[in-house]
Amino acid sequence: MKTANPVEILSRLAAAKVEFIVVGMAAGVLRGAPVTTIDVDIVHLRQPDNVSRLLSVLGQLDAVYRHDPRRLRPNESHLTGPGHHLLTTIYGDLDCLGTIGDGESYDDLCARSPDLELRPGLIIRVLDLPTLIALKEKAARPKDLAVLPVLRATLAETLKRA
């Protein structure tokens, strides 16, 4: 793996017109939370044409399943389902999720995922902080509970500036 570069992963997905939403702590970081994360989580539209574009980018990124010595690559049947695909790429880890939470898909999350300009002219969808906080509360894993105070404080600061 080259040096982790989540912006490169997101840039390539956006440039290829893959329809996706950044979720997980990467969404928190992009929404201003002063935290770090080691991977990028996305929920992608599971329609065949979008999955085809996603697979093309995953090929460019040399994406394979993490922790699998066989270096298996995702395929169309994998990415059209609701499951989670934990991948590693030349620019770091990328988790392609069919759904999150209680089975919420790309379409379910769009209204709560405002656009964000990653860099001039490059727009991506990023889950909003209230939804991210609700998902972390519901998951209630130790790592999720630990970050909730920071996410809540970030949301409070964001609302003050609005």
Side-chain angles (χ1 to χ4, degrees):
M1 176 179 79
K2 294 181 183 178
T3 303
N5 188 343
V7 172
E8 183 64 25
I9 293 171
L10 295 173
S11 296
R12 287 182 182 225
L13 291 168
K17 308 242 184 289
V18 175
E19 294 181 67
F20 67 95
I21 298 168
V22 180
V23 298
M25 282 313 301
V29 170
L30 289 167
R31 293 285 175 210
V35 295
T36 60
T37 185
I38 59 171
D39 66 355
V40 174
D41 298 335
I42 64 166
V43 173
H44 60 280
L45 180 65
R46 297 182 345 239
Q47 297 299 318
D49 57 334
N50 193 61
V51 168
S52 178
R53 290 189 298 272
L54 175 57
L55 283 168
S56 177
V57 174
L58 293 177
Q60 295 168 21
L61 297 174
D62 195 25
V64 295
Y65 284 93
R66 281 199 305 271
H67 313 299
D68 188 327
R70 298 170 294 171
R71 296 190 45 83
L72 295 177
R73 297 181 184 283
N75 63 37
E76 183 177 359
S77 67
H78 297 146
L79 296 173
T80 55
H84 293 187
H85 304 281
L86 312 182
L87 308 171
T88 192
T89 78
I90 58 174
Y91 293 112
D93 292 343
L94 171 64
D95 297 346
C96 296
L97 314 174
T99 62
I100 57 172
D102 290 330
E104 292 186 271
S105 69
Y106 175 89
D107 290 328
D108 299 323
L109 297 169
C110 272
R112 293 171 281 153
S113 303
D115 288 346
L116 183 138
E117 191 168 33
L118 188 61
R119 62 175 137 195
L122 198 58
I123 307 296
I124 60 173
R125 286 185 173 273
V126 179
L127 193 67
D128 65 23
L129 283 173
T131 304
L132 179 60
I133 290 167
L135 288 165
K136 297 279 183 195
E137 288 171 341
K138 186 158 189 144
R141 299 173 299 188
K143 69 179 188 173
D144 296 316
L145 297 175
V147 77
L148 279 171
V150 175
L151 292 174
R152 289 182 184 124
T154 302
L155 177 59
E157 284 298 316
T158 301
L159 293 174
K160 276 189 215 176
R161 290 189 306 244

